[in-house]
Amino acid sequence: MKMELITNVTEYEALAKEKLPKMVYDYYASGAEDQWTLKENRNAFSRILFRPRILVDVSTIDLTTTVLGFKISMPIMIAPTAMQKMAHPEGEFATARAASAAGTIMTLSSWATSSVEEVASTGPGIRFFQLYVLKDRNVVAQLVKRAERAGFKAIALTVDTPILGRREADIKNRFTLPPNLVLKNFEGLDLGRLDKTNDSGLASYVAGQIDRSLNWKDIKWLQTITSLPILVKGVLTAEDTRIAIQAGAAGIIVSNHGARQLDYVPATIMALEEVVKAAQGKIPVFLDGGIRRGTDVFKALALGAAGVFIGRPVVFSLAADGEAGVRKVLQMLRDEFELTMALSGCRSLKQITRDHVVTEYDRPRFAPKL
């Protein structure tokens, strides 16, 4: 398929599958266990319908927003995805440049194949750093300080991974990092190597490195080592939302880790409203998981999200067409979202309301008035 013939985000996945080694494609594409949540992350969007308002002047549409005080061109940002050089030789460099060109935020993974310093060297841009808390807290403190020094503006703390989820494709493939690559942020700390095992190499690595004792007190600890705002990534319930606010989180990312951790958790779009209501507007709530269309972005904002993050569309487009692919994904989502706003009668993000969508739980609205 010629790149210029690509007309939507989903089409990049098939191209990535053709191009990538099976072990790499499977690592990016798969979810945990039965992959029910993986499918549901997408399917749930299709059960949310629009209530468009007509005859609104939509000759100019403003997509801009601010996230933690930073002005961005649209409420569509890049989620952290690990080991991007497996997808394309330029890896995180290409993604950083594409995000910067689109005027949006990139989140760099702890397990990136490029370091915080290398990504910062690609040029200006607003970047967040995703953090896994390791057993060795000195390494964590060092890493956070390096991210801060490199100009990263926030920490996205992943809280749903005390242990790696069971990703059966990785077990079958004996997943490991290709020999020419290294987890750059940990290079020189004897933590950068993922070894071949008779299981998923990543699962073994995580078991050895990640601190399973991580708890709410550690958010307080993190605040003692950095002044950067902390986004808590991986919240799915009202209860944890309230605790996150008490703990001083600057924001929440409703995430099920791309359906790669606990299977049979709800789709993030289904968990979103519970979290938004519990947050009571005190801190912004973001969403990742399953965003493939501009209509999905609109639905998330209508249900109270302040913005969304995209993960797999970035690695698949990166694999297919490098930086140009990632740029095109961001542009397509932007264009589709703008179109959805126009056809729904919204000129700005503020005008997107809960009344613009109807979910399964609202169905009585459809009852005809006889």
Side-chain angles (χ1 to χ4, degrees):
M1 194 184 205
K2 289 276 189 293
M3 291 305 161
E4 55 271 21
L5 293 181
I6 287 192
T7 51
N8 66 63
V9 166
T10 309
E11 287 173 342
Y12 277 113
E13 181 163 358
L15 295 184
K17 190 173 186 176
E18 267 168 47
K19 269 199 172 175
L20 293 171
K22 179 175 162 51
M23 179 188 80
V24 172
Y25 171 79
D26 285 353
Y27 169 73
Y28 290 141
S30 61
E33 296 182 356
D34 298 329
Q35 304 194 115
W36 181 86
T37 298
L38 183 68
K39 298 182 209 58
E40 179 66 4
N41 267 357
R42 284 296 309 128
N43 294 340
F45 278 105
S46 66
R47 299 194 298 271
I48 299 169
L49 305 180
F50 292 129
R51 300 180 70 248
R53 301 301 306 274
I54 46 133
L55 292 174
V56 175
D57 174 357
V58 288
S59 46
T60 58
I61 292 181
D62 179 15
L63 273 66
T64 60
T65 188
T66 57
V67 169
L68 302 181
F70 299 99
K71 191 161 186 183
I72 55 173
S73 67
M74 58 180 175
I76 303 164
M77 299 165 280
I78 294 184
T81 49
M83 311 180 230
Q84 292 179 12
K85 283 187 180 175
M86 291 196 307
H88 187 275
E90 291 179 17
E92 293 84 2
F93 290 76
T95 302
R97 289 192 294 260
S100 181
T104 193
I105 292 165
M106 172 197 182
T107 317
L108 182 70
S109 169
S110 272
W111 295 337
T113 37
S114 314
S115 67
V116 288
E117 293 84 4
E118 287 174 331
V119 169
S121 77
T122 61
I126 304 155
R127 304 186 184 102
F128 294 173
F129 181 69
Q130 175 271 335
L131 180 68
Y132 282 117
V133 176
L134 307 181
K135 288 172 184 165
D136 186 338
R137 292 306 169 88
N138 292 330
V139 171
V140 177
Q142 236 179 299
L143 196 50
V144 169
K145 295 226 166 58
R146 280 171 57 197
E148 209 166 340
R149 267 203 307 277
F152 285 68
K153 300 296 187 229
I155 300 293
L157 176 68
T158 298
V159 294
D160 58 12
T161 312
I163 315 172
L164 204 69
R166 185 176 171 81
R167 307 165 191 177
E168 292 176 2
D170 292 348
I171 296 168
K172 280 192 176 62
N173 294 333
R174 310 267 194 267
F175 174 79
T176 189
L177 194 55
N180 57 319
L181 299 177
V182 66
L183 299 181
K184 269 291 189 184
N185 287 315
F186 304 119
E187 199 179 24
L189 296 168
D190 295 329
L191 300 175
R193 291 282 359 134
L194 240 85
D195 300 314
K196 250 309 195 219
T197 59
N198 53 10
D199 188 358
S200 153
L202 186 66
S204 309
Y205 178 85
V206 168
Q209 301 295 346
I210 297 264
D211 190 348
R212 287 169 70 162
S213 78
L214 186 70
N215 64 76
W216 290 109
K217 288 200 276 296
D218 294 301
I219 294 190
K220 290 275 177 249
W221 169 75
L222 208 48
Q223 288 163 337
T224 67
I225 63 164
T226 182
S227 57
L228 293 179
I230 296 162
L231 297 171
V232 180
K233 177 178 180 284
V235 173
L236 292 169
T237 64
E239 295 91 326
D240 284 335
T241 303
R242 289 188 280 267
I243 302 170
I245 291 168
Q246 283 162 6
I252 280 170
I253 303 173
V254 175
S255 172
N256 53 33
H257 210 114
R260 294 157 76 78
Q261 284 300 102
L262 179 61
D263 201 13
Y264 299 99
V265 294
T268 48
I269 194 67
M270 287 295 144
L272 175 62
E273 217 169 358
E274 173 180 331
V275 172
V276 166
K277 283 176 177 160
Q280 298 178 319
K282 291 173 187 162
I283 57 173
V285 175
F286 304 95
L287 172 137
D288 73 24
I291 300 274
R292 299 293 180 274
R293 285 275 186 193
T295 48
D296 300 333
V297 180
F298 187 100
K299 289 170 185 180
L301 268 64
L303 292 174
V308 302
F309 289 88
I310 54 167
R312 287 186 183 89
V314 170
V315 286
F316 291 147
S317 58
L318 181 64
D321 199 22
E323 182 185 334
V326 181
R327 281 183 185 231
K328 184 157 180 178
V329 155
L330 290 168
Q331 189 62 49
M332 285 190 296
L333 286 173
R334 183 195 171 88
D335 292 345
E336 288 177 13
F337 176 52
E338 187 171 357
L339 177 66
T340 307
M341 283 178 68
L343 297 180
S344 297
C346 299
R347 272 183 300 242
S348 70
L349 304 190
K350 283 196 301 293
Q351 294 184 346
I352 302 174
T353 67
R354 183 62 176 79
D355 290 327
H356 282 99
V357 293
V358 58
T359 71
E360 313 165 278
Y361 309 109
D362 310 327
R363 287 303 186 218
R365 274 191 192 166
F366 276 156
K369 300 270 191 292
L370 293 176

